[in-house]
Amino acid sequence: MAFFDFFTSDIAIDLGTANTLIIYKDKIVVDEPSIIALDKINGKVLAIGREAMQMHEKRMTTLRPFVR
């Protein structure tokens, strides 16, 4: 089984529709809402994650992942 240990990974990434979750060596290092806030005028990124969630539906555009 030592051969297969070479192919194992210590990181897991879940790019979900509601939250992004990153686990590294059995510990959660990122657990944030999947959202980004953009300035409506110039399109610059204002915030991501929880901070962008607080800005949702205010004076900027917020984007969430598209799901079919």
Side-chain angles (χ1 to χ4, degrees):
M1 287 291 180
F3 176 74
F4 291 107
D5 290 339
F6 177 74
F7 293 108
T8 61
S9 177
D10 292 328
I11 191 168
I13 302 174
D14 175 17
L15 301 173
T17 57
N19 290 315
T20 298
L21 184 66
I22 300 177
I23 300 172
Y24 180 67
K25 294 189 178 183
D26 296 327
K27 294 186 182 186
I28 297 174
V29 293
V30 174
D31 185 7
E32 293 278 334
S34 299
I35 190 167
I36 185 170
L38 300 173
D39 187 307
K40 285 184 177 181
I41 297 170
N42 59 21
K44 289 186 179 181
V45 175
L46 299 174
I48 58 171
R50 285 186 183 92
E51 189 178 351
M53 182 63 82
Q54 293 174 348
M55 297 177 175
H56 186 62
E57 296 182 1
K58 300 242 171 37
R59 293 184 178 165
M60 67 280 313
T61 302
T62 54
L63 302 173
R64 290 187 143 301
F66 177 72
V67 181
R68 289 184 181 207

